[in-house]
Amino acid sequence: MNLFQAFKMAFKSIACKKTRSFLTMLGIIIGVGSVVIMVSVVQGQNQKNMEYYEKMGSNKINVSAYSYYGNGDDISQKLYAYCQSMPDLVLGITPNIQVWNDMTIQYGAKTLSTQNYDNWEDMIQVVLGSDQYGVCNNYELAGGRELSYLDIQNTNNVCILGGRIKENLFNFVDPVGQNITINGQPFQVVGWYERKDLEGWPELDNIILLPYTFNRSMNNNQPISDYVVKARSASATVEAMTRLSAFIDGLFPKNAEGYSDYGSGGVSSDNASAESIQQQSNMQAMVLGGIAAISLLVGGIGIMNIMLVTVTERTREIGIRKAIGAERRSIIAQFLIEAAVICGIGGVLGIGLGYVGTLIAGKFLLNGMQLLPSPMITLGAFLFSVVLGVIFGMYPAIKASGLQPVEALRAE
């Protein structure tokens, strides 16, 4: 018997007993569908997390340096100079200051407020930063220019708008060169950023960036304690963090009890958080996939059971085939192919169920995300189902091939 005949007989056997064959496949269908859905949902969640870190900017180092004596400007200058001394590791540094005072922004007849509690998506953040704010926070210019070093030194009345607030104030008009007022004080728009459009974080596109030297007049001269440093690469991030930690420890030496009488500080990076979340997601995918795979094993046992029944039903047929010279490997191949075909069809139906379930899960669990299983998951689930059929069909196939022709021919 050749392979074509074996497959033909397998499909004929399945077609003759459709209901029994479908019920046999059901465990495989549910198992494959569950694996595809669960793993795809975890991968989708991981994708959303990575999208967040990508848009927020990779290789960012968050530096906290707070002085008890209010000499924040001195710390800023020292930290800035130290980062400038590491051009092979650091791309830029900026203070990360948010002005919490009530601000009213006007352009022509349009008025916006930083305290718009009725619609939090339109709430505006006035932030203060250096000429490297865009680089450090992964903003891309859509028009105009960044703040300049002279803007910072001279406290020039200039600003850069986030993509969303630019649209709210100017619609499709280029705002560069236009003037807006913040609490009645005029500021010239010198540039605007592309929208990040990060789901759940609309405020990232609702920023107005001013030179950080406005901290005195607009932020009641609050101490500057938070900074963002942009490293050149992931490997540079690790070395830069080590050096910055040592530098911060030098600014605030510890006493005998381990506390500093001068201030406090710390260094952290989002890279470690992103890697940790990715590792957790991968582990979660493995655990959930393993749980779903249990149903595949149950389905495999069902396959073995029904194949044993099939062997019993076809004992006489097996005896006739052996009596006319059929080899054991031919009998084994016939039953293994039949088991593999049943599992393969179940796997295809399970993949279809998984696709539908994944689309539904993406809509309801991931806020409308267009989620589809990856080709690797689909192919892996199908191959696993076929291999499962071969494994669990092995015992019935060996049992069938071991029947003695005389005893098989006596069977009713």
Side-chain angles (χ1 to χ4, degrees):
M1 178 186 292
N2 57 36
L3 285 178
F4 176 76
Q5 289 177 321
F7 276 102
K8 186 177 179 181
M9 289 183 64
F11 281 109
K12 184 178 179 180
S13 175
I14 293 170
C16 289
K17 298 174 181 176
K18 297 181 180 66
T19 302
R20 189 175 78 175
S21 298
F22 177 74
L23 292 176
T24 304
M25 296 176 191
L26 202 55
I28 301 297
I29 295 172
I30 295 172
V32 170
S34 300
V35 169
V36 170
I37 293 171
M38 288 186 178
V39 176
S40 297
V41 168
V42 173
Q43 286 188 342
Q45 183 62 54
N46 188 38
Q47 180 183 335
K48 288 177 72 69
N49 291 334
M50 290 303 105
E51 179 184 351
Y52 164 78
Y53 283 107
E54 286 173 4
K55 290 192 175 182
M56 291 296 289
S58 57
N59 306 326
K60 284 173 57 177
I61 302 172
N62 302 306
V63 178
S64 173
Y66 180 78
S67 171
Y68 297 148
Y69 298 103
N71 57 343
D73 290 343
D74 183 46
I75 292 174
S76 295
Q77 293 173 6
K78 289 180 178 179
L79 191 58
Y80 186 89
Y82 184 71
C83 288
Q84 290 294 100
S85 70
M86 299 187 293
D88 55 328
L89 299 177
V90 174
L91 283 173
I93 176 175
T94 179
N96 192 29
I97 308 166
Q98 183 172 338
V99 180
W100 294 103
N101 298 331
D102 189 4
M103 296 282 177
T104 301
I105 295 89
Q106 290 183 314
Y107 172 71
K110 295 182 179 180
T111 301
L112 302 174
S113 173
T114 58
Q115 306 296 321
N116 184 9
Y117 295 113
D118 294 332
N119 187 1
W120 68 273
E121 290 188 352
D122 291 329
M123 285 184 64
I124 298 164
Q125 291 185 338
V126 176
V127 296
L128 309 178
S130 73
D131 53 321
Q132 298 161 358
Y133 185 90
V135 172
C136 293
N137 290 281
N138 205 40
Y139 282 101
E140 294 184 7
L141 275 176
R145 64 173 177 84
E146 294 277 9
L147 297 179
S148 68
Y149 180 76
L150 289 178
D151 290 333
I152 308 298
Q153 292 300 307
N154 299 331
T155 317
N156 293 335
N157 286 37
V158 295
C159 67
I160 299 178
L161 304 179
R164 187 182 179 93
I165 192 173
K166 176 264 178 187
E167 294 175 6
N168 289 339
L169 287 175
F170 296 94
N171 295 323
F172 300 103
V173 177
D174 188 351
V176 176
Q178 301 296 320
N179 289 315
I180 64 173
T181 61
I182 302 177
N183 281 359
Q185 186 173 353
F187 286 85
Q188 185 182 56
V189 179
V190 296
W192 55 285
Y193 291 126
E194 292 277 4
R195 290 182 59 155
K196 288 179 179 284
D197 284 328
L198 188 59
E199 184 179 340
W201 298 83
E203 63 270 21
L204 295 176
D205 294 319
N206 275 339
I207 67 166
I208 299 178
L209 173 64
L210 308 179
Y212 74 86
T213 42
F214 276 99
N215 187 55
R216 294 183 178 86
S217 60
M218 285 197 164
N219 204 33
N220 303 322
N221 203 27
Q222 293 291 325
I224 301 174
S225 58
D226 295 318
Y227 305 85
V228 176
V229 177
K230 178 74 169 182
R232 290 189 176 274
S233 63
S235 58
T237 301
V238 177
E239 185 174 350
M241 287 180 65
T242 302
R243 294 192 185 186
L244 284 168
S245 295
F247 178 75
I248 296 296
D249 290 343
L251 289 178
F252 308 118
K254 303 293 189 297
N255 57 28
E257 286 78 24
Y259 295 95
S260 173
D261 296 325
Y262 302 94
S264 61
V267 177
S268 62
S269 172
D270 290 340
N271 283 14
S273 300
E275 291 173 2
S276 175
I277 287 177
Q278 190 165 18
Q279 289 175 358
Q280 291 175 8
S281 296
N282 292 338
M283 182 63 69
Q284 187 179 12
M286 291 176 63
V287 171
L288 292 177
I291 293 173
I294 293 175
S295 62
L296 277 174
L297 294 177
V298 174
I301 294 172
I303 295 291
M304 181 186 292
N305 180 57
I306 206 67
M307 291 306 297
L308 287 172
V309 172
T310 301
V311 170
T312 302
E313 291 176 344
R314 296 163 62 180
T315 301
R316 189 173 181 81
E317 173 195 329
I318 296 168
I320 294 172
R321 290 186 59 194
K322 295 197 74 174
I324 61 176
E327 298 179 354
R328 288 195 64 180
R329 63 182 181 181
S330 177
I331 304 295
I332 292 175
Q334 177 188 347
F335 282 90
L336 284 183
I337 288 173
E338 187 169 333
V341 167
I342 291 175
C343 286
I345 295 173
V348 171
L349 295 176
I351 289 169
L353 175 65
Y355 264 81
V356 174
T358 300
L359 286 171
I360 295 173
K363 182 177 181 179
F364 291 101
L365 299 181
L366 299 177
N367 299 320
M369 181 179 180
Q370 185 73 21
L371 187 62
L372 288 173
S374 70
M376 289 302 296
I377 294 176
T378 303
L379 180 61
F382 174 75
L383 292 178
F384 186 74
S385 65
V386 174
V387 170
L388 201 67
V390 173
I391 293 174
F392 282 94
M394 185 65 72
Y395 173 69
I398 293 173
K399 182 178 180 181
S401 68
L403 292 174
Q404 295 300 320
V406 176
E407 293 178 4
L409 289 171
R410 290 174 181 172
E412 294 292 336

